[in-house]
Amino acid sequence: MSTLSEHESPLVGRSNELSTLDRALRRVRDGIGGCVVIEGYAGLGKSRLLAESERRAARHGVAVARGQATELDHVVPMASLLGALSTGPAPVLDRATLASLAGGGFTESGRFWLVHRIAEAIEQAARRRPLAVVLDDMHWADELTAQALRILLPTLHASEVLWLLALRPAPEPSPVHDLTDRLVADGAERLRLAPLSGAEVAELCARTLGSTPSARLLAHAERSDGNPFLLVELLSRPESEPPSSLSRGWLTGLSEPARRVLEVGSVLARPFSVAEAGGLLGLSGAELNSAVSEAVAVGMLIAAGSEGSELRFRHDLIRETVYGSLPGPVRHALHQEAAGVLRATGRPAAEISQHLARGGQRGNREAIATLHLAVREAAAQSSGIAADLMLQLLDLVEEDSPERPRLLTEAVRLLANAGRLGQARELGERALRSGLDPREETAMLLALAEALKHAGHDRVVLDYVGRALAAPTALGAVRAELYAVQSHALLSFPGIEAAEQSALAAQQAGRASGADSAVVFATVARSATARGRGDIAGSLALAGEAVQLAETGSAEVRRRHPRLWLARALASADRFGEADAVNELGRREAERIGSAWSHPLWSLNRAALKLASGFLEDAQAEAEAGARVADQLSARAVAPHLLALLARIALLRDERKAAAELIRESRHHAMGSLGAIPPFVDWISALQLEADGRPQEAREAASGVLSSLSAGASGGSASAPASGSAGASSLSSPAAALSSSAAAPAEGSLLFLSEEPCASVQLVRITLAAGDTEGARTAVRAARRLAEANPGVRSLAAFAAQAAGLLDGDPAALAWAAEAMREAPRRLAAASALEDAGAAAGAPGAGLLEEALAAYTGMGARREIARVRRRLERLGPGAAAGAVAAAPGQAAPREPEAELTPSELRVVRLVVEGLTNRAVADRLFLSPHTVDTHLRHAFAKYGVNSRVELARAFLAGGRAG
């Protein structure tokens, strides 16, 4: 029998693959990272290529961190990745760092920040010496590892890190294979290994045997189907032995103890110790010595582990074949014995549970209890892993078991937290149809409502909540949570009274039952309904109340992050500086307590502030960072809004093709995740259609916003209703909730307008262009209502005057609006007011137009620049000449991409000094993702791909562009 390891066998037929790997190693040596995915069936040489790459990496001066996944990795989160980074002669994560990371908690909520701390450690190591991270057998990797790599690779795209990932093709979709497909789509190289050709088979025979093979031998070798591993194995056996008998051949001639060692090793499905094998066989280490030595001598087992203290199969094909040859009853018995031995040695419950699941029978109490313990442990690390374990557990729980309904509810929550909403809903609906007692049904309906609320499926949420509230078992904290979820779902519908009543009921029930989380969630819903009535001061007070309650509450309460709503209320009040500070404080708190889900929302808040302030590139950086994180976290509900905001920026730059693509993507995300188009996305769609000269379609796209404003635009009080919950308890169904709103004095919601106050002006333009005067009047009335309710917010009065001025053709109103906006922080809207006032004034308004042009030029708003120039040209040659020179004291018009923005310049300077992304972020009070986005923009402007190239260009005095 051949005893060559796959690392020692000749490399034949892989010259192209070796050239690709060698080129990647040279690039990372020179400062440019990358990723190569090696894909092929078992035995085609993936591990051999990785071994040769490691050898060549040393020659190039590239450090190597190597890991290998096993079949049990799917229940041991990040084992292979952390093993790769914490072992070897120069580990990326030393023991102290690894302990500090583990001490921070590998929790579901904290893993996002954990991965970024790992990224920082890798970045620091790569700055000392280029690094290749080599991960073999990735088809076995767990979901959390796939999610970590999904974050790590883009985060470290500019660092001197080469990722080499090897895996088998996917028999069915999996997180790891989805990951590699994404990586390839983003520029990674994929090497698909094919079987050897006839000539390559002959060459491998000659190199293995040291002589030219005979025709008879080649005929024998052809039965390997070009699989290098099987070919080498065949060459060590009689020519009469068919390939299908290799499993028998691997065991033929071995002593009974050696065969037993191999069998128990195949059941353990990972590198194992002699003591573990002895425990399964009931033998001491001394009694096993000869058996283990025999298995090693014939090449079946090789040393593994950091110090060679464990054993593993020479090739996974051998392990799988040995395992497959075990009779079913023997296999089940070995799994049961393995569970007992591993429990005695203190192995994780997740690993023990896998053996119990494979060897257990339905109703086995020990297996059920151990699996449930594994679920609870895994839930703190990965909802996806915990959900898979829970589904295995449900297979062991009998249908009539009294604990089954509770476990089904738990499974629905875990599946929802893992983003598997379709599976969660299907499982929950099936349980509801099967018949649950009232208390269990209420718990299941709440679980389904919370699951679908995160995805924005508000109509379905209202159905679940209504059914639950109608049950007599919806009491105490459960009732409070139901009302709180209902209040947020109702914010999506015209009218806000129903949402207000639900929030009041949630507050009352939550305070009575001590459900602080529900109280905070309901209070921020009331902050939103206050803005919907136009009461920005009331909105600020309620958001502040929620923040104060959360400050003194548990981590669960703080994870409601009421500062998200406080920042939005501050922005509505034109208090941009305070809003920005609250966003930063909230973002840092989210990182501290591990609320990764909120990160895209902080980015969205900051991007909206930057856009309104006229800092287009900073707004783009924040929105791109948020969209990238939303994608990494599968946070589908916020992605459409971020993409639409990026489309708005593209429109301002006159990048209409890019804007149209972003809107298409935004709408696609919205329909796929939310099932409906959010108002903001429809609004940006209307602006894009207006830019394309399609006024009727633009008016149609804006109809939803106009409808939400029209109900109460003609009247209604903006004051808050009296406190209390009268009538709230009657909202036991979505139909009752919505009809309650309709029956009350009609009052359209100003929530959208409070967040996008300049929309009233744009609505007037869109409706007038489409010949819809009544639609324009609706927008004007809504703007006036919002302004009158908030006399201290000067920009709201300016927007109302500007909208009315456009409708009535009133130059005085437009001039007043322009003057009023000079003191507001909304620089983009201020430029618009100057433009409208200048255009209405005729020739005397040239100065205002030039001022608007200068403002737009400073922002890089090319579409607006072109429009104002056309207006100036229509005023005559003198005005046009002044426009070319720009207003006094203003910089001459420039193309924005011709040089770094101030934000980009600050980031680049610190990066060139050697700071990591996180260090730069801490210095500049940004998120690391925003820093990374600024770097990406700087790379594009300098035409480079790495930090090393950027530093060279920057220090050489090279100019971007």
Side-chain angles (χ1 to χ4, degrees):
M1 176 184 294
S2 168
T3 59
L4 286 173
S5 76
E6 67 267 33
H7 294 180
E8 297 168 336
S9 60
L11 261 175
V12 172
R14 305 300 183 211
S15 58
N16 290 336
E17 290 84 354
L18 281 172
S19 295
T20 297
L21 291 167
D22 211 36
R23 183 170 61 252
L25 286 167
R26 287 196 301 271
R27 283 171 61 83
V28 75
R29 177 199 64 194
D30 296 337
I32 302 174
C35 177
V36 180
V37 176
I38 306 173
E39 192 172 280
Y41 292 103
L44 289 182
K46 301 183 298 297
S47 298
R48 180 69 185 88
L49 280 169
L50 291 181
E52 179 61 20
S53 296
E54 291 181 56
R55 188 182 69 79
R56 297 187 182 198
R59 191 174 68 203
H60 287 297
V62 176
V64 174
R66 189 184 196 282
Q68 183 170 11
T70 70
E71 189 176 349
L72 286 182
D73 269 26
H74 72 284
V75 292
V76 186
M78 297 178 66
S80 53
L81 177 60
L82 290 176
L85 299 174
S86 60
T87 57
V92 173
L93 302 174
D94 57 28
R95 291 184 178 180
T97 304
L98 191 62
S100 69
L101 292 175
F106 288 78
T107 63
E108 175 78 21
S109 58
R111 70 187 183 202
F112 180 80
W113 310 113
L114 168 70
V115 170
H116 281 283
R117 288 194 285 273
I118 293 173
E120 185 178 19
I122 295 174
E123 185 181 347
Q124 290 172 338
R127 292 183 75 80
R128 294 190 296 269
R129 182 183 178 189
L131 175 67
V133 182
V134 179
L135 299 175
D136 200 2
D137 288 338
M138 280 292 292
H139 47 277
W140 296 126
D142 62 285
E143 180 183 30
L144 192 54
T145 294
Q147 292 174 353
L149 292 176
R150 185 176 171 183
I151 297 171
L152 286 172
L153 269 76
T155 300
L156 296 166
H157 70 100
S159 298
E160 296 152 90
V161 182
L162 172 64
W163 300 84
L164 301 180
L165 313 177
L167 72 165
R168 299 180 194 172
E172 57 186 32
S174 74
V176 171
H177 290 90
D178 290 345
L179 165 73
T180 54
D181 287 344
R182 291 173 64 94
L183 294 178
V184 171
D186 290 340
E189 295 187 83
R190 173 181 270 150
L191 304 179
R192 284 198 168 101
L193 303 188
L196 301 181
S197 66
E200 290 164 346
V201 166
E203 181 184 351
L204 182 53
C205 288
R207 293 180 61 180
T208 301
L209 301 174
S211 61
T212 303
S214 64
R216 181 176 176 179
L217 182 63
L218 287 176
H220 174 58
E222 286 175 0
R223 293 185 295 175
S224 68
D225 292 327
N227 185 301
F229 176 77
L230 294 180
L231 174 56
V232 173
E233 292 294 313
L234 278 174
L235 294 177
S236 66
R237 306 191 181 283
E239 296 180 21
S240 60
E241 183 177 312
S244 60
S245 69
L246 280 177
S247 60
R248 293 193 299 273
W250 281 325
L251 299 174
T252 298
L254 292 178
S255 66
E256 179 67 17
R259 285 201 301 273
R260 295 291 307 281
V261 168
L262 294 174
E263 288 170 354
V264 299
S266 72
V267 167
L268 288 169
R270 58 163 173 78
F272 60 94
S273 67
V274 173
E276 287 172 331
L280 265 71
L281 296 174
L283 299 173
S284 68
E287 291 174 304
L288 277 183
N289 276 341
S290 60
V292 169
S293 298
E294 181 183 353
V296 171
V298 298
M300 296 289 282
L301 297 177
I302 60 175
S306 58
E307 299 176 358
S309 58
E310 294 180 322
L311 299 164
R312 70 174 177 86
F313 283 85
R314 174 166 53 92
H315 198 284
D316 221 25
L317 266 181
I318 300 176
R319 186 195 67 79
E320 292 172 20
T321 305
V322 172
Y323 182 78
S325 69
L326 291 172
V330 173
R331 199 159 51 223
H332 291 159
L334 284 174
H335 277 298
Q336 287 282 5
E337 292 174 18
V341 169
L342 295 176
R343 183 183 294 107
T345 57
R347 295 292 297 180
E351 181 179 350
I352 297 169
S353 71
Q354 291 306 289
H355 292 289
L356 288 171
R358 295 182 184 187
Q361 296 178 339
R362 202 161 207 197
N364 184 310
R365 302 310 307 167
E366 179 191 18
I368 291 171
T370 304
L371 262 170
H372 204 186
L373 174 61
V375 169
R376 290 195 294 270
E377 290 181 352
Q381 302 170 338
S382 168
S383 291
I385 292 172
D388 288 336
L389 290 171
M390 178 58 81
L391 294 176
Q392 291 179 351
L393 171 59
L394 288 171
D395 286 339
L396 295 179
V397 177
E398 294 170 320
E399 292 290 338
D400 58 353
S401 170
E403 63 183 334
R404 187 173 180 82
R406 176 175 54 82
L407 296 174
L408 283 166
T409 301
E410 191 176 342
V412 167
R413 293 184 188 278
L414 289 169
L415 287 165
N417 288 341
R420 291 150 66 175
L421 295 177
Q423 198 175 358
R425 188 175 180 186
E426 180 184 356
L427 182 65
E429 288 284 9
R430 191 164 62 244
L432 290 171
R433 288 193 300 270
S434 69
L436 301 173
D437 71 36
R439 188 175 300 277
E440 293 161 349
E441 182 177 21
T442 299
M444 178 62 77
L445 288 167
L446 175 57
L448 286 167
E450 289 177 331
L452 276 295
K453 181 68 193 83
H454 289 311
H457 294 291
D458 291 322
R459 287 196 178 275
V460 181
V461 169
L462 290 173
D463 176 56
Y464 286 136
V465 170
R467 289 161 62 186
L469 286 172
T473 52
L475 302 171
V478 171
R479 194 168 191 82
E481 295 289 352
L482 285 165
Y483 273 129
V485 171
Q486 185 185 60
S487 67
H488 280 264
L490 287 167
L491 290 173
S492 301
F493 295 91
I496 53 165
E497 290 305 311
E500 173 76 7
Q501 291 182 33
S502 288
L504 286 166
Q507 285 180 319
Q508 184 183 55
R511 287 167 181 153
S513 61
D516 288 347
S517 178
V519 174
V520 169
F521 201 38
T523 304
V524 294
R526 289 193 62 205
S527 175
T529 61
R531 281 190 290 126
R533 294 190 305 273
D535 182 11
I536 293 176
S539 177
L540 280 166
L542 286 162
E545 178 185 326
V547 169
Q548 286 184 345
L549 179 58
E551 286 288 285
T552 59
S554 65
E556 178 189 1
V557 177
R558 294 199 303 277
R559 286 193 181 99
R560 291 295 190 183
H561 290 301
R563 283 191 177 87
L564 282 166
W565 282 265
L566 177 58
R568 291 173 186 173
L570 286 165
S572 295
D574 278 358
R575 292 158 64 176
F576 279 21
E578 293 172 75
D580 199 38
V582 167
N583 274 319
E584 178 59 19
L585 184 61
R587 184 189 65 78
R588 287 177 179 263
E589 180 188 42
E591 181 170 357
R592 186 171 63 254
I593 66 176
S595 298
W597 65 267
S598 68
H599 186 93
L601 293 169
W602 301 114
S603 292
L604 177 59
N605 278 3
R606 291 184 62 133
L609 280 175
K610 295 293 184 184
L611 177 57
S613 301
F615 299 110
L616 270 58
E617 297 222 18
D618 287 350
Q620 179 185 0
E622 289 287 356
E624 285 180 354
R628 192 160 55 251
V629 175
D631 180 58
Q632 292 169 352
L633 295 173
S634 298
R636 299 175 179 87
V638 69
H641 204 139
L642 287 160
L643 292 168
L645 193 147
L646 286 168
R648 173 71 176 128
I649 295 170
L651 283 173
L652 289 166
R653 291 174 171 160
D654 206 22
E655 298 167 353
R656 283 186 284 175
K657 184 176 180 181
E661 177 58 28
L662 283 163
I663 290 171
R664 186 201 64 76
E665 189 179 353
S666 174
R667 297 177 74 86
H668 174 76
H669 272 274
M671 291 305 297
S673 58
L674 308 180
I677 305 299
F680 185 78
V681 177
D682 269 340
W683 172 239
I684 303 302
S685 298
L687 294 180
Q688 188 252 331
L689 291 166
E690 178 201 29
D692 282 349
R694 296 150 69 181
Q696 296 299 331
E697 293 173 73
R699 166 61 182 84
E700 180 61 29
S703 61
V705 175
L706 280 167
S707 296
S708 71
L709 299 175
S710 61
S714 59
S717 171
S719 62
S723 62
S725 59
S729 60
S730 67
L731 297 178
S732 59
S733 72
L738 292 175
S739 65
S740 170
S741 175
E747 185 172 281
S749 174
L750 296 175
L751 183 58
F752 176 79
L753 203 59
S754 74
E755 295 185 346
E756 294 291 326
C758 61
S760 58
V761 174
Q762 294 159 321
L763 276 169
V764 171
R765 292 196 187 101
I766 288 172
T767 50
L768 289 179
D772 178 12
T773 306
E774 186 53 41
R777 291 195 183 99
T778 295
V780 171
R781 287 193 296 263
R784 283 175 173 163
R785 179 181 158 209
L786 187 59
E788 290 166 2
N790 301 279
V793 185
R794 192 167 176 81
S795 69
L796 297 182
F799 288 133
Q802 186 180 0
L806 288 173
L807 173 62
D808 301 332
D810 183 353
L814 293 172
W816 186 92
E819 187 60 32
M821 286 300 293
R822 290 184 188 279
E823 300 175 11
R826 301 179 183 274
R827 293 175 58 242
L828 182 60
S832 168
L834 287 166
E835 179 186 354
D836 283 340
L848 292 172
L849 287 175
E850 289 175 354
E851 195 175 343
L853 177 61
Y856 286 139
T857 300
M859 300 174 202
R862 288 189 290 270
R863 178 169 175 262
E864 275 55 32
I865 292 169
R867 186 180 60 245
V868 175
R869 281 178 173 167
R870 288 194 297 271
R871 282 179 161 171
L872 282 165
E873 287 169 359
R874 286 196 291 270
L875 293 179
V884 172
Q890 297 290 335
R894 64 173 178 84
E895 291 297 311
E897 67 269 27
E899 61 185 52
L900 299 180
T901 67
S903 296
E904 291 164 358
L905 185 58
R906 287 193 292 271
V907 167
V908 169
R909 282 174 174 160
L910 293 176
V911 165
V912 170
E913 287 179 18
L915 274 67
T916 63
N917 279 15
R918 175 164 292 280
V920 174
D922 290 342
R923 183 81 63 87
L924 299 179
F925 298 100
L926 299 171
S927 79
H929 313 285
T930 305
V931 170
D932 180 65
T933 303
H934 283 311
L935 270 181
R936 290 172 185 266
H937 292 172
F939 288 165
K941 292 176 180 182
Y942 274 96
V944 298
N945 296 303
S946 72
R947 289 167 171 262
V948 172
E949 292 176 313
L950 179 65
R952 288 170 184 159
F954 187 81
L955 294 174
R959 184 177 176 82

